[in-house]
Amino acid sequence: VTRIEYAALDARVRALEQAEPIPTPEPEPPPEPTPEPVPPPPDTPPSLTTGGTINATGYTYGGPITITKPTTLIGGTINVPAGGVGLIVASHDVRLDGVSVRGVQHTKYTGELGIQVAATVASPILRLRIENCDISNVGGIGLRLDHISDFTIAGNRVYDCGYSGIMVLSGLTGTVSNNTVARIGAAIPMLELPGQGNAYGIAITDVGQPRSADVLVVGNTVEDVPTWHGLDTHGGQRIRWERNVTRRCSRAIFITSSGTGRAAQNVIVDNRFESPLPVTFNRIAITLAGVDGLTATTNFVSKDYPIAAVGEADWYDRVVYDYGGGSTNVVASGNVVG
């Protein structure tokens, strides 16, 4: 090859290398790091008395347990001892979410309580929230909440209780909403209940002063309170009962006075008081006794409840019965019988 031919060949090789460069191989990616092992849950359930946020899901505890610090308790099951209390709230700013409370029986009336608030008139419990909990098989009261203020009781299931499902005593400014309460006093003979028949689905009442006031009771379902009251207040002031449903309750709702004063300025609106059957005695859908100021409008009342004749004394709008005829400032209109 002549020098001239070699130079021409070398020029063509360089031109090809510039037109089609030899690709550089991609570097191998680094290996994935080995994940840290996830520790198993502790064998010992977390303490429920430390305060803060506690996830007790999957653990079971024996009561009574007392919460004395601001706490968010998520999940867990608490067993109520015979004749005792499952969970006691003795602090402000407690939230219970998805907690299950289980009693030992509901066929005899006893002093058992599922969840209790330990407070006084001088030192009420503030900002209590009980949500999405399941309380059952308690011989007394599922939720007994004394002297609470700024509270929320929502989305709970309370059933198979001897005396009451949800009982708020001297509660101020709160909401009881979207709870299901069922089979209260249903497994106990009437004569064995307090007052020979008393049982309450949801009661907003008092233990002396102050009287319960400014409470919204909305969207709840109360079923199977065969001996007494599905919804109730003794002495409650400015209680609004709205869009609740009762079924198979002797008296769907009862508004009455207490030892500390007359119930005042209650509103009963857009509720459904469905059939009390098979209950065949002591049946009235809306009952008043010693009330000063009440409005009852646009409620549905089952035809299986007694309906007053036109102009019958002590009845308003044919479905609201004033027991004893001593109530004042009552307005009833637009209620439907079906």
Side-chain angles (χ1 to χ4, degrees):
V1 179
T2 66
R3 182 181 300 275
I4 295 174
E5 290 172 334
Y6 180 84
L9 178 61
D10 184 58
R12 286 199 301 274
V13 170
R14 287 198 301 273
L16 287 172
E17 289 177 344
Q18 292 175 358
E20 298 181 9
I22 299 172
T24 304
E26 293 290 332
E28 291 291 328
E32 293 289 333
T34 303
E36 293 290 330
V38 178
D43 295 330
T44 303
S47 170
L48 304 186
T49 60
T50 57
T53 298
I54 302 165
N55 190 341
T57 303
Y59 295 105
T60 299
Y61 302 81
I65 292 169
T66 302
I67 294 178
T68 59
K69 301 176 182 178
T71 299
T72 294
L73 174 59
I74 301 170
T77 298
I78 299 172
N79 291 326
V80 182
V85 183
L87 181 63
I88 300 170
V89 176
S91 171
H92 304 313
D93 299 300
V94 170
R95 177 184 171 218
L96 308 176
D97 190 347
V99 179
S100 294
V101 180
R102 298 282 180 266
V104 294
Q105 65 84 35
H106 66 283
T107 60
K108 289 186 177 296
Y109 171 69
T110 67
E112 291 160 3
L113 305 175
I115 298 174
Q116 178 186 20
V117 166
T120 65
V121 62
S123 183
I125 290 295
L126 307 179
R127 297 176 296 278
L128 171 67
R129 296 172 65 186
I130 302 177
E131 301 169 311
N132 311 310
C133 293
D134 196 286
I135 299 94
S136 67
N137 206 35
V138 176
I141 303 174
L143 301 177
R144 174 169 176 153
L145 312 174
D146 295 36
H147 297 295
I148 57 176
S149 182
D150 188 15
F151 60 91
T152 299
I153 312 299
N156 304 285
R157 294 181 67 245
V158 186
Y159 53 99
D160 292 328
C161 296
Y163 179 60
S164 180
I166 299 173
M167 182 167 280
V168 175
L169 298 112
S170 297
L172 302 175
T173 314
T175 301
V176 180
S177 65
N178 302 315
N179 301 282
T180 297
V181 178
R183 300 189 298 275
I184 307 302
I188 303 176
M190 282 188 64
L191 296 182
E192 296 180 13
L193 287 165
Q196 299 185 347
N198 290 12
Y200 303 92
I202 298 175
I204 311 297
T205 185
D206 64 56
V207 280
Q209 294 290 356
R211 286 185 282 159
S212 288
D214 302 305
V215 178
L216 173 63
V217 183
V218 59
N220 302 282
T221 298
V222 179
E223 299 177 327
D224 298 299
V225 188
T227 68
W228 210 235
H229 303 165
L231 304 169
D232 173 276
T233 184
H234 282 59
Q237 303 175 92
R238 298 179 301 280
I239 313 298
R240 185 176 181 90
W241 312 85
E242 181 176 350
R243 289 185 284 114
N244 302 287
V245 176
T246 68
R247 301 185 182 101
R248 299 179 297 278
C249 297
S250 174
R251 295 182 185 263
I253 184 167
F254 201 113
I255 311 296
T256 185
S257 60
S258 72
T260 54
R262 291 159 66 93
Q265 301 177 47
N266 277 232
V267 174
I268 306 171
V269 60
D270 292 339
N271 300 278
R272 290 187 62 86
F273 302 131
E274 297 184 0
S275 177
L277 298 177
V279 179
T280 57
F281 62 95
N282 200 27
R283 293 179 301 164
I284 299 290
I286 304 173
T287 306
L288 316 180
V291 170
D292 183 12
L294 179 129
T295 300
T297 60
T298 57
N299 300 285
F300 170 87
V301 175
S302 168
K303 61 182 175 54
D304 298 314
Y305 281 109
I307 307 301
V310 175
E312 189 171 345
D314 299 337
W315 288 80
Y316 297 86
D317 201 27
R318 304 184 65 191
V319 298
V320 180
Y321 176 55
D322 186 12
Y323 179 79
S327 297
T328 58
N329 302 313
V330 175
V331 175
S333 64
N335 298 294
V336 176
V337 178

XYZ file of all heavy atoms in Angstrom, residues 56-109:
386
model
N -53.963 -0.228 70.508
C -54.108 -1.493 71.229
C -54.804 -2.553 70.381
O -55.263 -3.569 70.915
C -54.899 -1.256 72.509
N -54.839 -2.350 69.078
C -55.514 -3.288 68.194
C -54.950 -4.694 68.365
O -53.732 -4.900 68.337
C -55.366 -2.836 66.731
O -55.898 -1.511 66.602
C -56.079 -3.777 65.798
N -55.840 -5.654 68.545
C -55.431 -7.044 68.682
C -55.148 -7.503 70.093
O -54.880 -8.682 70.320
N -55.240 -6.597 71.070
C -54.947 -6.952 72.453
C -56.216 -6.921 73.299
O -57.155 -6.180 73.018
C -53.907 -6.001 73.046
C -52.557 -6.103 72.373
C -52.128 -5.121 71.486
C -51.728 -7.191 72.630
C -50.887 -5.216 70.867
C -50.486 -7.293 72.011
C -50.079 -6.304 71.129
O -48.864 -6.419 70.526
N -56.231 -7.715 74.331
C -57.366 -7.814 75.244
C -56.906 -7.491 76.659
O -55.833 -7.938 77.088
C -57.984 -9.224 75.195
O -58.445 -9.484 73.862
C -59.166 -9.344 76.157
N -57.739 -6.719 77.378
C -57.412 -6.263 78.728
C -58.556 -6.609 79.668
O -59.721 -6.654 79.269
C -57.203 -4.745 78.750
C -56.129 -4.244 77.826
C -56.375 -4.064 76.464
C -54.856 -3.951 78.300
C -55.395 -3.609 75.605
C -53.860 -3.490 77.452
C -54.133 -3.322 76.104
O -53.154 -2.872 75.263
N -58.233 -6.800 80.913
C -59.243 -6.960 81.948
C -59.484 -5.638 82.656
O -58.535 -4.958 83.043
N -60.753 -5.279 82.807
C -61.076 -4.033 83.503
C -61.100 -4.242 85.006
O -60.977 -5.371 85.481
N -61.205 -3.178 85.782
C -61.359 -1.803 85.289
C -60.019 -1.170 84.928
O -59.007 -1.417 85.586
C -61.994 -1.076 86.477
C -61.492 -1.822 87.678
C -61.375 -3.253 87.257
N -60.036 -0.350 83.891
C -58.873 0.435 83.476
C -59.266 1.903 83.553
O -60.335 2.288 83.061
C -58.431 0.064 82.061
C -57.863 -1.367 82.053
C -57.414 1.058 81.524
C -57.633 -1.917 80.682
N -58.414 2.719 84.165
C -58.709 4.145 84.333
C -57.730 4.975 83.529
O -56.504 4.828 83.680
C -58.637 4.543 85.818
O -59.570 3.755 86.564
C -58.979 6.013 85.990
N -58.239 5.847 82.670
C -57.418 6.759 81.877
C -57.372 8.098 82.597
O -58.408 8.745 82.775
C -57.982 6.911 80.462
C -57.879 5.574 79.711
C -57.241 8.008 79.701
C -58.453 5.609 78.319
N -56.185 8.503 83.007
C -56.024 9.722 83.805
C -55.235 10.808 83.081
O -54.938 11.837 83.676
C -55.318 9.397 85.128
O -54.031 8.822 84.840
C -56.129 8.421 85.964
N -54.881 10.578 81.804
C -54.132 11.561 81.028
C -54.775 11.727 79.659
O -55.469 10.815 79.184
C -52.683 11.090 80.839
C -51.916 10.871 82.130
C -50.528 10.306 81.841
C -49.770 10.030 83.132
N -48.437 9.441 82.871
N -54.567 12.879 78.992
C -55.068 13.007 77.625
C -54.562 11.855 76.759
O -53.353 11.602 76.676
C -54.497 14.352 77.168
C -54.349 15.135 78.445
C -53.936 14.129 79.477
N -55.495 11.146 76.128
C -55.152 9.894 75.462
C -56.013 9.704 74.231
O -57.202 10.007 74.234
C -55.387 8.695 76.407
O -54.562 8.833 77.564
C -55.072 7.368 75.728
N -55.407 9.186 73.168
C -56.141 8.630 72.037
C -55.916 7.132 72.062
O -54.790 6.661 71.883
C -55.658 9.216 70.705
O -55.965 10.612 70.660
C -56.346 8.531 69.536
N -56.978 6.391 72.307
C -56.899 4.933 72.376
C -57.582 4.365 71.145
O -58.771 4.594 70.920
C -57.564 4.412 73.650
C -57.686 2.888 73.776
C -56.322 2.223 73.713
C -58.406 2.514 75.063
N -56.819 3.603 70.366
C -57.311 3.017 69.123
C -57.358 1.503 69.289
O -56.340 0.864 69.595
C -56.407 3.393 67.945
C -56.334 4.916 67.796
C -56.899 2.739 66.658
C -55.290 5.391 66.814
N -58.533 0.930 69.103
C -58.661 -0.524 69.124
C -58.507 -1.109 70.512
O -58.477 -0.416 71.526
N -58.424 -2.433 70.541
C -58.308 -3.151 71.799
C -59.659 -3.609 72.306
O -60.704 -3.040 71.975
N -59.640 -4.663 73.099
C -60.837 -5.203 73.740
C -60.663 -5.153 75.245
O -59.613 -5.546 75.760
C -61.091 -6.657 73.300
O -61.327 -6.676 71.888
C -62.297 -7.246 74.020
N -61.684 -4.666 75.941
C -61.653 -4.569 77.399
C -62.812 -5.395 77.943
O -63.963 -5.206 77.547
C -61.761 -3.109 77.861
C -60.570 -2.305 77.322
C -61.814 -3.029 79.387
C -60.673 -0.818 77.555
N -62.497 -6.306 78.848
C -63.511 -7.145 79.468
C -63.974 -6.521 80.778
O -63.163 -6.155 81.631
C -62.955 -8.544 79.720
C -62.711 -9.296 78.425
O -63.457 -9.133 77.453
N -61.675 -10.118 78.381
N -65.296 -6.420 80.931
C -65.878 -5.845 82.143
C -65.971 -6.934 83.210
O -66.542 -7.994 82.961
C -67.283 -5.298 81.855
C -67.876 -4.661 83.109
C -67.242 -4.288 80.700
N -65.411 -6.700 84.399
C -65.564 -7.705 85.452
C -66.999 -7.744 85.956
O -67.732 -6.747 85.895
C -64.604 -7.209 86.534
C -64.513 -5.739 86.321
C -64.633 -5.526 84.839
N -67.413 -8.873 86.463
C -68.779 -9.024 86.965
C -69.060 -7.973 88.029
O -68.304 -7.826 88.997
C -68.966 -10.424 87.542
N -70.129 -7.206 87.833
C -70.506 -6.170 88.782
C -69.629 -4.951 88.756
O -69.792 -4.058 89.602
N -68.708 -4.821 87.793
C -67.744 -3.726 87.791
C -67.836 -2.845 86.558
O -68.866 -2.762 85.889
N -66.723 -2.184 86.248
C -66.624 -1.215 85.151
C -65.501 -1.653 84.224
O -64.443 -2.106 84.678
C -66.342 0.198 85.691
C -66.317 1.209 84.553
C -67.363 0.603 86.743
N -65.725 -1.497 82.920
C -64.672 -1.824 81.971
C -63.624 -0.733 81.869
O -62.449 -0.947 82.159
N -64.030 0.479 81.477
C -63.100 1.577 81.231
C -63.629 2.836 81.900
O -64.792 3.208 81.712
C -62.950 1.816 79.726
C -61.988 2.914 79.274
C -60.563 2.588 79.689
C -62.069 3.107 77.766
N -62.777 3.511 82.670
C -63.131 4.740 83.366
C -62.321 5.882 82.763
O -61.086 5.795 82.662
C -62.835 4.636 84.875
C -63.638 3.493 85.497
C -63.146 5.948 85.583
C -63.232 3.166 86.916
N -63.001 6.946 82.356
C -62.329 8.135 81.819
C -62.290 9.184 82.914
O -63.333 9.620 83.414
C -63.070 8.664 80.584
C -62.426 9.964 80.098
C -63.068 7.623 79.475
N -61.083 9.607 83.281
C -60.898 10.587 84.349
C -59.929 11.681 83.909
O -59.128 12.172 84.700
C -60.387 9.896 85.616
N -60.003 12.073 82.624
C -59.119 13.111 82.103
C -59.832 13.856 80.990
O -60.702 13.312 80.302
C -57.827 12.495 81.561
O -57.047 13.468 80.875
N -59.440 15.113 80.790
C -59.854 15.846 79.609
C -59.189 15.246 78.372
O -58.197 14.530 78.448
C -59.451 17.316 79.710
C -59.956 18.015 80.933
N -61.260 17.928 81.372
C -59.323 18.842 81.812
C -61.416 18.656 82.460
N -60.250 19.213 82.754
N -59.730 15.586 77.186
C -59.090 15.303 75.899
C -58.782 13.819 75.723
O -57.665 13.427 75.368
C -57.812 16.134 75.751
C -58.097 17.621 75.782
O -58.847 18.094 74.925
O -57.589 18.307 76.697
N -59.791 13.007 75.945
C -59.678 11.571 75.702
C -60.495 11.234 74.466
O -61.647 11.659 74.321
C -60.159 10.752 76.910
C -60.270 9.267 76.563
C -59.206 10.952 78.078
N -59.886 10.449 73.591
C -60.583 9.947 72.398
C -60.481 8.434 72.381
O -59.374 7.869 72.467
C -59.969 10.527 71.130
C -60.615 9.991 69.853
C -59.916 10.504 68.612
N -60.400 9.840 67.422
C -59.640 9.495 66.392
N -58.332 9.763 66.419
N -60.151 8.895 65.338
N -61.631 7.776 72.270
C -61.694 6.320 72.148
C -62.201 6.012 70.745
O -63.278 6.468 70.366
C -62.625 5.729 73.198
C -62.380 6.143 74.653
C -63.453 5.557 75.563
C -60.987 5.732 75.118
N -61.457 5.240 69.986
C -61.807 4.968 68.598
C -61.665 3.472 68.331
O -60.582 2.915 68.393
C -60.899 5.749 67.658
C -61.371 5.697 66.216
O -62.251 4.875 65.891
O -60.859 6.479 65.389
N -62.794 2.818 68.049
C -62.746 1.411 67.683
C -62.455 0.470 68.836
O -61.991 -0.655 68.619
N -62.736 0.885 70.055
C -62.512 0.049 71.233
C -63.727 -0.859 71.432
O -64.869 -0.419 71.259
C -62.275 0.919 72.479
C -62.068 0.049 73.721
C -61.081 1.845 72.264
N -63.483 -2.112 71.790
C -64.559 -3.048 72.125
C -64.590 -3.253 73.630
O -63.544 -3.468 74.245
C -64.344 -4.394 71.426
O -64.450 -4.256 70.023
N -65.792 -3.184 74.201
C -65.976 -3.401 75.634
C -67.005 -4.506 75.793
O -68.127 -4.388 75.286
C -66.422 -2.119 76.353
C -66.593 -2.381 77.840
C -65.413 -0.992 76.119
N -66.626 -5.572 76.505
C -67.467 -6.752 76.610
C -67.793 -7.050 78.071
O -66.887 -7.218 78.888
C -66.746 -7.967 76.010
C -66.435 -7.831 74.536
C -67.677 -8.103 73.702
N -67.384 -7.973 72.283
C -67.571 -6.871 71.576
N -68.064 -5.796 72.167
N -67.296 -6.827 70.291
N -69.091 -7.125 78.370
C -69.511 -7.525 79.700
C -69.663 -9.027 79.813
O -69.383 -9.779 78.870
N -70.142 -9.449 80.965
C -70.255 -10.883 81.228
C -71.693 -11.380 81.119
O -71.921 -12.584 80.997
C -69.691 -11.233 82.620
C -68.200 -10.974 82.662
C -70.397 -10.430 83.719
N -72.691 -10.469 81.161
C -74.080 -10.904 81.050
C -74.989 -9.695 80.894
O -74.619 -8.585 81.246
C -74.501 -11.720 82.274
C -74.506 -10.944 83.591
C -75.772 -10.153 83.832
O -76.856 -10.596 83.460
N -75.650 -8.987 84.451
N -76.198 -9.952 80.359
C -77.183 -8.871 80.226
C -78.592 -9.356 80.565
O -79.570 -8.667 80.263
C -77.177 -8.319 78.800
C -77.656 -9.295 77.758
N -76.867 -10.322 77.309
C -78.842 -9.402 77.105
C -77.549 -11.025 76.409
N -78.747 -10.489 76.269
N -78.705 -10.496 81.206
C -80.030 -11.047 81.501
C -80.494 -10.731 82.916
O -81.616 -11.084 83.281
C -80.032 -12.565 81.291
O -79.076 -13.163 82.174
C -79.680 -12.913 79.856
N -79.649 -10.099 83.715
C -80.034 -9.610 85.037
C -79.555 -8.176 85.178
O -78.474 -7.821 84.704
C -79.421 -10.473 86.152
C -80.040 -11.859 86.270
C -79.495 -12.582 87.485
C -80.167 -13.929 87.659
N -81.613 -13.796 87.933
N -80.367 -7.349 85.832
C -79.950 -5.975 86.079
C -78.895 -5.955 87.179
O -79.095 -6.489 88.272
C -81.133 -5.107 86.490
C -80.680 -3.742 86.954
C -80.140 -2.839 86.047
C -80.761 -3.381 88.289
C -79.697 -1.597 86.467
C -80.328 -2.134 88.719
C -79.798 -1.251 87.801
O -79.350 -0.033 88.223
